[in-house]
Amino acid sequence: DLSPEENEIAVVIRGDVYVTSIDYATTKRITNTPEQERDVAFAPDGRTLYYSAERNGHWGIYKAELTEKRDKGFTYALKWKEELVTEPGQTCFQPAVSPDGKWLAFLKDRTEIVIKNTKNGKEKNLLSNVNISYSDGDQAFRWSPDSHHILCNFQGGGGWNHEDVALIDIETGEITNITESGYSDGSFKWALGGK
C-alpha cells in the first residue's frame, strides 16, 4: 500500500510487514513473527499501518502506530507500538481505512463486512449472511472517496452462481444492488471522485 504522502510503500515479504522509502534505499521491518501477516493498509495520517496477522491460531486486524511525534513515517522510525484492533478469537482480514480516517472496514469470518470507528472502537455490521467465501481474497469491497458508502461484491441476488455489485450506505445500512445483471460482475472501483 502507498502511504498518503506517497513517500513510503508497505509490503508483505515472506509473511512479515516492511515499509520501504520511495526516495531512498531504506527499508524498515515492522513485524518479526513466526506467523504470517498480509493485507497492509495505511491510515490517512501516514502514522498508522493496519494489517491482517495470524496470532495464537486466529487471524485478526492489527495496527502498528508511530509513538514519537518527530517521526514522519515508518522508514526511519525507531519506535512504534503494535495493537490488536479486532476482538481476540475473531477471524478478520482485509483492513481498509476510510479516506477520512474515521472508520476501519474489514471482513469478519470471511464473509461479513464490518466497520469499526477508529476513535471509540464501536463496530457496525454492514453485510452478513449474504456472501459466501470460497478462497482467500474472493470478497472485495471499496470505500467511496467521501467515506459514506462501500461498494462490494454481493451474492444476495442469486447465490453462488453469480455475483452482483452492491452499494452500502454506512449510515443507514441500506444495501442497493446496482448491477442486477444475472451474470457475475466484479473488479469494481470508484471513479470521477465518487460520482
Side-chain angles (χ1 to χ4, degrees), residues 111 129-135 138-139 153-164 182-185:
T111 57
N129 301 319
V130 174
N131 290 348
I132 299 169
S133 177
Y134 295 100
S135 64
D138 65 352
Q139 302 299 308
N153 55 311
F154 184 69
Q155 297 171 343
W160 63 269
N161 60 346
H162 81 276
E163 287 185 339
D164 289 315
Y183 298 95
S184 289
D185 302 304

Side-chain angles (χ1 to χ4, degrees), residues 182-194:
Y183 298 95
S184 289
D185 302 304
S187 301
F188 45 83
K189 64 167 63 175
W190 291 92
L192 302 173

Side-chain angles (χ1 to χ4, degrees), residues 68-111:
E68 302 294 322
K69 289 191 183 223
R70 69 177 183 270
D71 291 330
K72 304 293 183 216
F74 283 90
T75 307
Y76 298 102
L78 297 176
K79 291 194 218 173
W80 56 88
K81 67 176 181 174
E82 183 185 73
E83 177 183 342
L84 176 63
V85 176
T86 52
E87 295 298 318
Q90 288 182 343
T91 301
C92 300
F93 296 96
Q94 293 176 234
V97 187
S98 62
D100 64 8
K102 294 178 180 177
W103 297 97
L104 174 69
F106 56 91
L107 286 181
K108 180 178 170 186
D109 296 329
R110 297 185 179 267
T111 57

Side-chain angles (χ1 to χ4, degrees), residues 33-193:
T33 66
E35 301 93 356
Q36 62 177 321
E37 284 86 36
R38 58 182 171 193
D39 307 322
V40 292
F42 273 104
D45 65 4
R47 298 177 53 82
T48 308
L49 183 62
Y50 292 91
Y51 45 90
S52 307
E54 184 183 25
R55 306 279 167 81
N56 302 315
H58 293 281
W59 280 93
I61 307 297
Y62 287 77
K63 72 175 177 180
E65 194 167 31
L66 296 174
T67 57
E68 302 294 322
K69 289 191 183 223
R70 69 177 183 270
D71 291 330
K72 304 293 183 216
F74 283 90
T75 307
Y76 298 102
L78 297 176
K79 291 194 218 173
W80 56 88
K81 67 176 181 174
E82 183 185 73
E83 177 183 342
L84 176 63
V85 176
T86 52
E87 295 298 318
Q90 288 182 343
T91 301
C92 300
F93 296 96
Q94 293 176 234
V97 187
S98 62
D100 64 8
K102 294 178 180 177
W103 297 97
L104 174 69
F106 56 91
L107 286 181
K108 180 178 170 186
D109 296 329
R110 297 185 179 267
T111 57
E112 299 176 39
I113 298 176
V114 175
I115 59 173
K116 184 174 190 129
N117 187 294
T118 57
K119 297 293 182 212
N120 64 27
K122 291 186 178 177
E123 288 186 8
K124 184 176 186 180
N125 191 314
L126 296 181
L127 183 69
S128 61
N129 301 319
V130 174
N131 290 348
I132 299 169
S133 177
Y134 295 100
S135 64
D136 286 352
D138 65 352
Q139 302 299 308
F141 56 93
R142 303 278 181 274
W143 279 104
S144 64
D146 67 3
S147 303
H148 294 297
H149 297 88
I150 288 180
L151 278 178
C152 66
N153 55 311
F154 184 69
Q155 297 171 343
W160 63 269
N161 60 346
H162 81 276
E163 287 185 339
D164 289 315
V165 177
L167 177 74
I168 304 175
D169 183 314
I170 69 160
E171 293 298 320
T172 66
E174 180 183 358
I175 300 170
T176 305
N177 185 338
I178 60 174
T179 55
E180 295 184 337
S181 67
Y183 298 95
S184 289
D185 302 304
S187 301
F188 45 83
K189 64 167 63 175
W190 291 92
L192 302 173

